[in-house]
Amino acid sequence: MGAMRKLQPDQGDRLLVIACGMIAREILAVKEQLRLDHLDLTCLPAEFHFYPDRIAPAMDKAIEKAKADGYRNIFVGYADCGTGGLLDRVCEKHGVERMAGPHCFAFYQGMDAYATVADDDMMSFYMTDFLCRQFDAFFMKPLGLDRHPELIKDYFGNYEKLVYIAQTDDPELDKVAEKAAKMLGLAYERRSTGYGDLTKELASAAGHG
């Protein structure tokens, strides 16, 4: 006889997180850390970071598809992320929750901690583990800085410092962030935040909070 097929839990009892591709690795890390075996993940393109007007329409379609696929428990792995409240309208339409806060740079630090530095960080350029790994693909090449470094002042001239919000302790990522700050002519600050509020919000959404 062949091996018996393992029965899958009812899809309706699972939690689907529909998230920004920029935080996929971190969500999977939290899933493993908290042993959220009933959590499934699907992501919208990370490059929507540059096109926030695309987030809400894409999320609307993704939630509709998820419900058609049988998911009853859905969590949006985005903060507002520059949608100007449009993502909230989609969440309200479908009766789902999203990450609290204006953007991932806030919830990684924790909303309470972010509130204390938000004013001082107005002229700061944020980087995360993802943005360090993808610095060339997300900044150097799309902005043409690899070919025209003279454009750096045009793009980054209004910033005063680069703040690396570190989810992990990786010396290679530290080097990328430090090099980026030097290249952009910005002061450098590293904040070790871990996953911040991402952990507690996923735990809550998964029923572990």
Side-chain angles (χ1 to χ4, degrees), residues 10-161:
D10 179 9
Q11 187 125 299
D13 293 333
R14 299 184 66 79
L15 169 69
L16 178 67
V17 178
I18 306 175
C20 171
M22 284 179 55
I23 65 171
R25 181 191 292 250
E26 288 71 28
I27 288 176
L28 293 175
V30 172
K31 173 182 176 176
E32 181 177 356
Q33 182 183 84
L34 300 182
R35 298 181 180 179
L36 303 178
D37 296 333
H38 64 299
L39 185 154
D40 295 332
L41 173 66
T42 187
C43 291
L44 300 184
E47 55 263 31
F48 282 7
H49 175 75
F50 293 121
Y51 308 101
D53 58 306
R54 300 181 186 179
I55 296 173
M59 182 60 68
D60 189 26
K61 293 179 181 178
I63 294 174
E64 288 179 352
K65 181 181 184 303
K67 288 185 174 181
D69 288 343
Y71 284 101
R72 294 192 298 267
N73 304 312
I74 300 169
F75 183 72
V76 172
Y78 275 88
D80 179 74
C81 297
T83 68
L86 293 180
L87 184 58
D88 284 332
R89 294 183 188 177
V90 172
C91 291
E92 291 169 6
K93 170 184 173 182
H94 292 287
V96 301
E97 298 291 330
R98 68 162 174 86
M99 290 290 303
H103 41 61
C104 66
F105 310 120
F107 67 66
Y108 273 146
Q109 296 182 81
M111 290 305 301
D112 290 340
Y114 175 71
T116 67
V117 299
D119 289 343
D120 289 340
D121 280 0
M122 287 293 290
M123 307 304 289
S124 296
F125 176 67
Y126 285 128
M127 288 186 68
T128 62
D129 283 12
F130 175 90
L131 291 174
C132 284
R133 292 189 185 96
Q134 302 294 329
F135 187 73
D136 285 345
F138 258 63
F139 296 108
M140 293 298 291
K141 293 179 181 178
L143 298 179
L145 303 182
D146 54 337
R147 303 181 304 279
H148 301 285
E150 68 274 10
L151 294 176
I152 288 175
K153 186 175 181 180
D154 292 335
Y155 287 118
F156 297 93
N158 291 327
Y159 292 107
E160 296 177 350
K161 66 179 176 179

Side-chain angles (χ1 to χ4, degrees), residues 2 10 175 201:
D10 179 9
K175 290 178 183 177
E201 294 226 19

Side-chain angles (χ1 to χ4, degrees), residues 153-173:
K153 186 175 181 180
D154 292 335
Y155 287 118
F156 297 93
N158 291 327
Y159 292 107
E160 296 177 350
K161 66 179 176 179
L162 184 151
V163 178
Y164 171 29
I165 300 168
Q167 284 72 69
T168 57
D169 291 317
D170 186 332
E172 293 304 312
L173 299 184

